[in-house]
Amino acid sequence: MLHLRMIVPPDRTEAVTGLIGSTVGTTHVVVLPGAALDPAGDVVMCDVAREAGDELLHGLRALKLDQDGSIAVENIDLSMSERADAAEEDAPGEGADAVLWEQLATATHEESTLSFTYLAFMLLATMIAACGVVLDNAILIVGAMAVGPEFGPLAGVCTAIVKRAPRLAVRSLLALLVGFLAAILATTLFSLLMDRMGLFSVEMLDGERPQTSFIWQPDPFSFVVAVLAGAAGTLSLTSSKAGALVGVAISVTTVPAAANAAVALGYGEVGQTLGSVQQLLLNLLGIILSGTLTLLVQKWLWRTQRGKLKRRLRRG
């Protein structure tokens, strides 16, 4: 269940409560006339089943409540109410499968912002991966994948395509481009410094690396894994039962490929540099394709569910 708290201009309170009442899956409606001070207005609260939340939020935005008032949404961890149980039964589909598109747009907007923190994580993750590449240490590669923040902008690109949001697409692509270029440049300098200190060597890079040689040698399985990881990551982002994206982060070789490209570039190893860049682009393409398709399928499924519900209500 979701809890909505709204500040409503008094002349729209009736329209808002009417919308809540007509939305299947809502309950526990509370109206506090004149309770809001900034902005001034009435406070309206209600609970809604997650699977009906997107439809209600869309209707509230159509009433321009996000412009002239306020809409706050919270997840309810525990609700002991027969009315809430009935509301969830009435709402179409399962709450775990529901996509709150407004929440998704907000989350991807934040995660795809080119910030100091984002760049810091990109640089640190790529440097950790560089150590893993040279030492042929799979544990360091896994750690770098978990630290890397690149899935946020990738999800932003997928969301922008589905929602036709060019600004989000530009923001996300800029974060990806600048992030990876800065990470490769910084890691190249880092690898040269490590070489001067005697910790890295070209022999270590060119030697037998059974644990990490796959990073710069892309094959069809690279694209297959990227596609699967992109779908899993998108589901993890949209599902109410999803946890952290660590499981997805260790499934793809974006940051490690950038790290291998940086180290190879520092030593003038053209073959490994080109192979790593190819691996990087292949994974990025696979994630974006599968992530976008996953969102499109989810959007189609929920349109189908709403259509069935509306037809059922008309017959009733």
Side-chain angles (χ1 to χ4, degrees):
M1 293 289 289
L2 302 172
H3 178 69
L4 273 64
R5 185 185 70 252
M6 297 153 279
I7 298 178
V8 184
D11 62 331
R12 265 168 275 180
T13 300
E14 185 176 350
V16 168
T17 55
L19 174 64
I20 295 172
S22 64
T23 302
V24 175
T26 58
T27 187
H28 302 155
V29 183
V30 177
V31 179
L32 303 175
L37 299 179
D38 184 21
D42 302 334
V43 173
V44 179
M45 295 179 285
C46 73
D47 295 341
V48 58
R50 180 181 173 86
E51 51 268 43
D54 189 66
E55 181 180 354
L56 179 57
L57 290 173
H58 182 75
L60 293 172
R61 291 198 66 180
L63 293 173
K64 297 184 178 180
L65 208 59
D66 57 322
Q67 300 176 25
D68 304 326
S70 170
I71 307 172
V73 183
E74 301 174 12
N75 285 307
I76 300 176
D77 295 327
L78 176 64
S79 180
M80 301 175 66
S81 166
E82 291 186 0
R83 287 181 175 272
D85 294 341
E88 288 188 319
E89 286 289 333
D90 291 339
E94 295 294 332
D97 298 332
V99 179
L100 294 177
W101 293 98
E102 297 296 338
Q103 184 184 55
L104 179 62
T106 301
T108 51
H109 182 278
E110 294 174 356
E111 294 294 329
S112 62
T113 300
L114 185 60
S115 63
F116 172 80
T117 301
Y118 169 81
L119 285 175
F121 272 116
M122 280 293 293
L123 267 60
L124 292 172
T126 311
M127 290 178 185
I128 293 171
C131 295
V133 164
V134 174
L135 297 174
D136 193 35
N137 190 314
I139 295 177
L140 291 178
I141 296 297
V142 170
M145 291 177 178
V147 172
E150 76 280 8
F151 189 78
L154 288 169
V157 173
C158 299
T159 304
I161 294 173
V162 174
K163 290 183 64 66
R164 299 179 182 178
R167 289 185 179 181
L168 179 58
V170 171
R171 175 189 293 269
S172 302
L173 290 172
L174 180 65
L176 282 173
L177 179 62
V178 174
F180 275 111
L181 287 178
I184 291 173
L185 176 61
T187 303
T188 301
L189 298 176
F190 170 74
S191 64
L192 292 176
L193 175 63
M194 295 290 280
D195 180 78
R196 287 291 185 90
M197 296 171 62
L199 299 175
F200 282 9
S201 70
V202 67
E203 290 78 18
M204 297 171 72
L205 181 68
D206 291 337
E208 291 291 330
R209 291 193 286 141
Q211 299 293 323
T212 59
S213 61
F214 71 94
I215 292 174
W216 65 276
Q217 296 175 337
D219 56 29
F221 280 105
S222 300
F223 186 74
V224 171
V225 172
V227 168
L228 297 175
T234 304
L235 288 173
S236 179
L237 190 64
T238 59
S239 173
S240 63
K241 293 186 177 180
L245 291 173
V246 174
V248 176
I250 66 174
S251 300
V252 291
T253 54
T254 50
V255 166
N260 202 98
V263 178
L265 182 64
Y267 285 119
E269 295 285 338
V270 178
Q272 284 204 38
T273 301
L274 293 178
S276 301
V277 171
Q278 184 180 355
Q279 178 80 274
L280 173 61
L281 296 177
L282 196 64
N283 277 275
L284 293 177
L285 177 62
I287 292 171
I288 290 174
L289 284 176
S290 63
T292 301
L293 288 174
T294 301
L295 289 177
L296 287 172
V297 169
Q298 288 180 298
K299 190 174 183 179
W300 175 79
L301 286 174
W302 279 100
R303 280 183 175 175
T304 303
Q305 289 281 3
R306 286 198 297 267
K308 290 181 179 178
L309 177 64
K310 289 178 180 178
R311 289 193 293 271
R312 189 178 70 190
L313 292 175
R314 282 198 296 267
R315 287 196 299 266

